[in-house]
Amino acid sequence: MATIRELARRAEVSVATVSRVFNNPDLVTRRTREHVLRVADELGYQPNESARTLATGRSRMVGLVWDTGHRGPGWRHPFLQEILIGLKTALSDHGHHLLMLAAEPGAGG
């Protein structure tokens, strides 16, 4: 996978310009943005989510803690899969990720 430095070199722009294209596109001219995005597509470049999280202090991650309970219906609910797929789809449509944790009260303690 291509790095931001490789993309900058191939697009003949600075690393900062590449970063602006993906994080603050309004700060870059339309022509530059289109050029960088075209080269990014050619290289198969995808921004590094871990680096983005460190740089922005935002993870774009939504956590869901599911109380399974050892005797309750938990994961056996008939509509749970559809609900989770709908939640993940809605979050993805807005650039977020879903992180799930299944927990049982009193377990592990």
Side-chain angles (χ1 to χ4, degrees):
M1 179 175 357
T3 66
I4 192 170
R5 285 175 175 63
E6 183 179 351
L7 173 54
R9 184 179 54 76
R10 293 279 293 271
E12 299 180 337
V13 298
S14 69
V15 170
T17 298
V18 173
S19 179
R20 286 185 198 103
V21 166
F22 288 96
N23 296 309
N24 298 302
D26 294 338
L27 299 178
V28 182
T29 66
R30 182 180 58 88
R31 182 177 177 194
T32 298
R33 184 172 53 251
E34 289 174 355
H35 172 67
V36 170
L37 291 174
R38 185 172 43 256
V39 174
D41 188 51
E42 291 170 7
L43 293 174
Y45 173 79
Q46 290 292 318
N48 182 307
E49 287 296 323
S50 297
R52 178 180 280 178
T53 296
L54 288 171
T56 64
R58 297 179 63 181
S59 69
R60 297 184 182 196
M61 187 77 60
V62 174
L64 171 64
V65 179
W66 181 265
D67 176 4
T68 60
H70 73 283
R71 298 199 193 281
W75 296 106
R76 295 185 308 258
H77 190 281
F79 301 115
L80 179 61
Q81 184 173 0
E82 287 82 5
I83 292 168
L84 294 176
I85 289 170
L87 178 60
K88 184 190 179 313
T89 301
L91 289 169
S92 294
D93 289 348
H94 290 91
H96 291 76
H97 304 283
L98 177 63
L99 175 67
M100 292 184 50
L101 172 65
E104 185 173 327

